[in-house]
């Protein structure tokens, strides 16, 4: 390998988080190489809405706007949600958030993962400061003084001052760097599908807690709703095996018929759910972002929002450090990034975990508490603002 050929940053994984980080850094003048095994599946307007959607918080939309990709995403297909309503099957009380109360146009946007990835990928391809290595896979990595080397599966080598693992929850790079994780298997799967409903979704993200399960209805721009029904493994297998009629009858009842009768419009898919937190984010000339650092329960719809906050913060810290003429990927800068993001991510992950545990339990004292908790948060202004601010990424 040519010793002089050393990139500023190598990003392994071009999912939503890795691609957003790569663009942020390249636009700030860093020389970036991105390694990805496969390009994202293409997004086409004539295709049905993809089954994987995310609720993007305002902080994530701000980042995509700054990267000049939001306009193309929003004009292609996205749905704002202006209200959020949370209630419980076992107790009275509800929690409601309205964008108008916060003086904003929407609480966020529901967008297909595939569309976000497609828009970011096109921007990566057009960016002069980015070298895309795709298809390519990393076989090994080692730190080497002020740089880190990646050995690819084809035996070629890439050197960079900093390597960032953005290769998802099962991150191979994290394992190669010797970083352990703390895991909790929820023993649940999220069943997802798009459904038509008798009544309009009112641009509301709905969430109902059920004994041992959570059910979300997220609004889509064509009037349908995208459901995320997190249930124990065996229940997921049973729901997946039902015919459309029986599935929709159970789904409508589980949702308390808030939007009336439900009709299937797509096949169903399911994703295993777990909590996974990296014990540390740093190794020499190495760090983690996105799901490679933290996998959280989807009940709060925050996974990629946390990851995009990692990307913003890492870009900010590296830039500040470079502008101050320090070693931009040195220990001090990376420790600052880790300190800020690991605590926020761990706090969020444990909060979602606690909510999941309380609402997964049907023990009576907890069941009584849950309705009261929702009502208290709904009525106590400062507490409600705290929740709203956190969800918005403020
Ligand atoms: C049912 C469900 C609903 C969800 N809903 C929401 C929501 O509403 N809001 C929200 O914020 N989040 C949500 N999430 C979470 C969100 O989908 C994830 O947090 C997000 O996709 C993580 O993005 P990422 O870029 O970190 O990782 P990934 O999306 O996993 O991307 C990883 C990238 O790395 C690449 N890669 C993999 N292995 C390697 C390798 N060895 N070398 C190089 N590259 C590699 C992959 O090809 C991919 O491009 C949900 C998750 C689930 C399961």
């Amino acid at each position: 390998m040519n010793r002089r050929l050393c990139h500023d940053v190598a990003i392994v994984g071009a999912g939503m988080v890795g691609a957003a980080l790569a663009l942020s850094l390249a636009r700030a003048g860093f020389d970036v190489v991105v390694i990805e095994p496969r390009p994202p599946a293409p997004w086409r307007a004539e295709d049905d809405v993809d089954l994987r959607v995310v609720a993007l918080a305002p902080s994530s939309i701000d980042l995509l706007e700054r990267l000049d990709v939001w306009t193309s995403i929003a004009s292609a297909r996205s749905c704002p949600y202006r209200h959020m309503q949370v209630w419980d099957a076992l107790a009275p009380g509800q929690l409601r958030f309205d964008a108008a109360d916060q003086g904003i146009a929407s609480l966020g946007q529901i967008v297909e993962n595939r569309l976000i990835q497609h828009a970011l990928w096109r921007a990566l391809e057009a960016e002069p400061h980015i070298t895309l290595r795709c298809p390519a896979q990393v076989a090994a990595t080692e730190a080497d003084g002020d740089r880190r080397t990646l050995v690819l599966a084809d035996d070629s080598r890439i050197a960079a001052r900093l390597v960032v693992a953005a290769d998802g929850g099962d991150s191979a790079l994290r394992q190669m760097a010797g970083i352990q994780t703390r895991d909790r298997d929820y023993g649940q799967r999220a069943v997802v599908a798009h459904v038509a409903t008798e009544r309009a979704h009112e641009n509301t993200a709905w969430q109902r807690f059920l004994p041992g399960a959570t059910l979300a209805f997220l609004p889509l721009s064509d009037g349908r709703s995208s459901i995320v029904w997190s249930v124990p493994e065996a229940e997921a297998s049973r729901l997946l095996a039902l015919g459309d009629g029986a599935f929709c009858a159970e789904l409508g009842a589980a949702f308390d018929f808030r939007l009336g009768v439900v009709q299937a419009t797509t096949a169903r898919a399911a994703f295993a759910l777990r909590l996974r937190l990296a014990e540390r984010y740093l190794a020499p000339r190495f760090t983690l972002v996105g799901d490679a650092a933290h996998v959280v329960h989807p009940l709060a719809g925050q996974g990629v929002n946390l990851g995009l906050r990692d990307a913003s913060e890492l870009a900010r810290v590296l830039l500040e450090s470079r502008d101050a003429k320090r070693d931009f990927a040195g220990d001090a800068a990376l420790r600052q990034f880790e300190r800020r993001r690991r605590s926020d991510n761990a706090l969020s992950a444990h909060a979602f975990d606690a909510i999941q545990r309380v609402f997964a339990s049907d023990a009576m004292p907890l069941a009584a508490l849950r309705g009261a908790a929702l009502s208290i948060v709904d009525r106590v202004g400062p507490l409600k603002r705290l929740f709203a601010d956190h969800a918005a990424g403020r």
Side-chain angles (χ1 to χ4, degrees):
M1 184 179 48
N2 181 348
R3 277 294 292 179
R4 278 174 309 168
L5 191 65
C6 180
H7 299 277
D8 289 332
V9 184
I11 297 172
V12 182
M16 292 181 272
V17 175
L21 175 64
L23 275 183
S24 304
L25 292 173
R27 300 268 164 88
F30 287 99
D31 162 34
V32 181
V33 55
V34 175
I35 297 124
E36 166 63 48
R38 62 198 85 83
W43 182 90
R44 287 183 300 250
E46 60 272 25
D47 290 345
D48 192 11
V49 180
D50 194 52
L51 277 186
R52 297 266 339 235
V53 300
V54 282
L56 288 182
S59 60
S60 299
I61 296 167
D62 285 351
L63 173 63
L64 296 173
E65 266 171 356
R66 288 199 301 280
L67 297 176
D68 275 337
V69 290
W70 177 248
T71 313
S72 72
I73 293 172
S75 62
R77 199 154 59 194
S78 75
C79 184
Y81 59 101
R82 303 196 173 89
H83 319 278
M84 198 186 292
Q85 186 136 337
V86 183
W87 79 108
D88 183 17
L90 289 189
Q94 64 170 10
L95 184 53
R96 187 177 163 95
F97 295 100
D98 293 294
D101 291 347
Q102 298 176 44
I104 49 178
S106 73
L107 296 171
Q109 299 267 348
I110 308 298
V111 193
E112 291 150 81
N113 295 23
R114 183 185 284 189
L115 171 56
I116 304 170
Q117 281 166 339
H118 173 80
L120 286 167
W121 186 261
R122 280 179 40 185
L124 291 184
E125 286 179 321
E127 182 54 54
H129 290 294
I130 292 180
T131 308
L132 263 180
R133 296 288 301 265
C134 177
Q137 199 121 20
V138 177
T141 175
E142 60 184 31
D144 175 12
D146 66 353
R147 60 181 63 190
R148 179 172 277 272
T149 303
L150 295 170
V151 183
L152 302 191
D154 66 2
D155 249 3
S156 62
R157 282 163 184 263
I158 292 174
R161 302 274 301 281
L162 175 67
V163 169
V164 183
D167 51 345
D170 291 323
S171 173
L173 251 282
R174 181 187 62 220
Q175 288 166 38
M176 288 178 206
I179 296 178
Q180 310 291 321
T181 57
R182 271 179 298 122
D183 294 12
R184 180 159 110 84
D185 184 349
Y186 286 114
Q188 285 189 332
R189 273 191 289 165
V191 176
V192 300
H194 301 327
V195 297
T197 54
E198 193 180 359
R199 287 198 285 279
H201 55 49
E202 299 167 15
N203 285 88
T204 302
W206 310 83
Q207 172 120 307
R208 188 177 197 216
F209 289 103
L210 296 144
T214 53
L215 173 58
F217 271 54
L218 306 173
L220 297 177
S221 56
D222 59 11
R224 290 182 296 166
S225 294
S226 177
I227 64 131
V228 184
W229 196 356
S230 302
V231 292
E233 290 281 354
E235 182 63 358
S237 305
R238 191 187 69 79
L239 290 174
L240 289 170
L242 289 176
D244 282 351
F247 175 76
C248 286
E250 289 203 25
L251 177 62
F255 195 53
D256 212 10
F257 295 104
R258 275 287 162 114
L259 299 180
V261 175
V262 175
Q263 266 183 344
T265 66
T266 63
R268 285 155 246 155
F271 301 90
L273 302 181
R274 63 194 168 177
L275 171 70
R276 170 169 282 173
L277 296 175
E279 288 189 341
R280 54 194 167 89
Y281 285 11
L282 306 183
R285 298 280 155 183
F286 182 89
T287 194
L288 307 166
V289 290
D291 273 24
H294 44 78
V295 178
V296 300
H297 196 286
L299 67 84
Q302 287 299 320
V304 79
N305 292 306
L306 294 175
L308 291 173
R309 278 181 237 164
D310 296 344
S312 292
E313 180 62 17
L314 182 58
R316 202 187 61 71
V317 161
L318 297 184
L319 189 60
E320 224 174 66
S321 173
R322 185 193 65 184
D323 289 351
K325 308 259 181 293
R326 292 193 296 264
D327 174 4
F328 70 84
D331 282 353
L334 295 185
R335 271 203 303 270
Q336 196 183 352
F337 163 71
E338 185 191 41
R339 216 171 25 246
R340 296 215 179 129
R341 289 308 306 150
R342 198 156 80 94
S343 54
D344 181 40
N345 290 328
L347 203 69
S348 302
H350 290 308
F352 309 150
D353 189 51
I355 295 170
Q356 198 276 337
R357 281 174 197 256
V358 168
F359 284 92
S361 165
D362 44 16
M364 270 326 279
L366 282 180
L369 253 183
R370 41 206 262 175
L374 287 183
S375 297
I376 290 168
V377 174
D378 196 51
R379 281 196 224 117
V380 180
L383 204 54
K384 195 169 169 181
R385 264 196 304 283
L386 197 73
F387 273 73
D389 283 354
H390 192 77
R394 289 190 286 258

